[in-house]
Amino acid sequence: MDILLIEDDAIEVMKLQRTVKKLELKHNIIETKNGEDALEVLKSGNKLPDIILLDLNMPRMNGIEFLSILKADDVLKYLPTVILTTSENRADLLECYKIGVAGYVIKPLKYEEYQSKLHKVLEYWDINQLVKG
C-alpha cells in the first residue's frame, strides 16, 4: 500500500516508520509535514496513495481544513483518510466524520498500544477494496 502520512511531529513520523518496519509491512510511506505540502503531492500528477493518515494539529493548515479541501475535490474525495491524532476533542471527532473521514484513531502514549492500533488500521485497509479517483 502507498500511504500518505501528513504529520508535522518528527517523533510521530519515526514511530510510524518504526512500527511499519517492526511489523515487516511492505508499505510505501510518503511523508508531508502539513496540509499544503500534502495537497501539492496529491495534485502533482503522480500515483495517488491508497490511504491517508492525517494529524489534526498542524501549522499553516490544520487537518480539518485539509480534509475539507480534499473532500471537495472530485478526484481526491475518494481517498480513505484516517485521522491519527492526540485530540480527544469530541467536536473535532464529529466534524471529521461530518466531512467524510474513514476513521478516527487516538494516538496512545504507550508505544505497544500505538503499534497495536496502527497494525489493525493498516491491516484493515490492506485487505479493503480501495476506490481511487
Side-chain angles (χ1 to χ4, degrees), residues 6 10 13 16 26 36 39 44-45 56 60-61 65 68 73-76 98 108 118 120 122:
I6 309 170
V13 172
L16 178 81
K26 303 296 183 209
E36 290 175 354
L39 287 172
S44 69
L56 287 185
R60 295 168 53 184
M61 178 188 293
E65 292 168 327
S68 296
D73 185 287
D74 287 338
V75 173
L76 303 177
K98 181 178 151 189
L118 207 56
K120 290 172 186 167
L122 295 177

Side-chain angles (χ1 to χ4, degrees), residues 104-125:
Y104 194 100
V105 178
I106 304 291
K107 295 183 236 182
L109 295 175
K110 291 183 179 178
Y111 176 73
E112 294 76 20
E113 291 174 19
Y114 174 89
Q115 180 180 318
S116 175
K117 278 188 176 186
L118 207 56
H119 186 231
K120 290 172 186 167
V121 167
L122 295 177
E123 195 173 53
Y124 171 79
W125 286 106

Side-chain angles (χ1 to χ4, degrees), residues 37-98:
D37 292 347
L39 287 172
E40 284 182 30
V41 168
L42 292 169
K43 294 185 178 206
S44 69
N46 294 331
K47 182 181 169 204
L48 292 174
D50 297 301
I51 185 175
I52 298 172
L53 298 179
L54 174 64
D55 184 27
L56 287 185
N57 302 313
M58 296 179 295
R60 295 168 53 184
M61 178 188 293
N62 71 34
I64 291 175
E65 292 168 327
F66 170 82
L67 193 57
S68 296
I69 293 168
L70 183 80
K71 295 304 179 181
D73 185 287
D74 287 338
V75 173
L76 303 177
K77 68 183 177 184
Y78 297 106
L79 293 173
T81 304
V82 175
I83 304 299
L84 193 57
T85 186
T86 56
S87 176
E88 295 186 36
N89 182 331
R90 184 147 174 84
D92 285 347
L93 177 119
L94 294 174
E95 184 63 20
C96 288
Y97 276 109
K98 181 178 151 189

Side-chain angles (χ1 to χ4, degrees), residues 21-32:
K21 185 175 181 177
K22 192 171 183 180
L23 295 171
E24 298 180 357
L25 304 173
K26 303 296 183 209
H27 303 312
N28 176 41
I29 301 170
I30 304 138
E31 300 168 19
T32 59

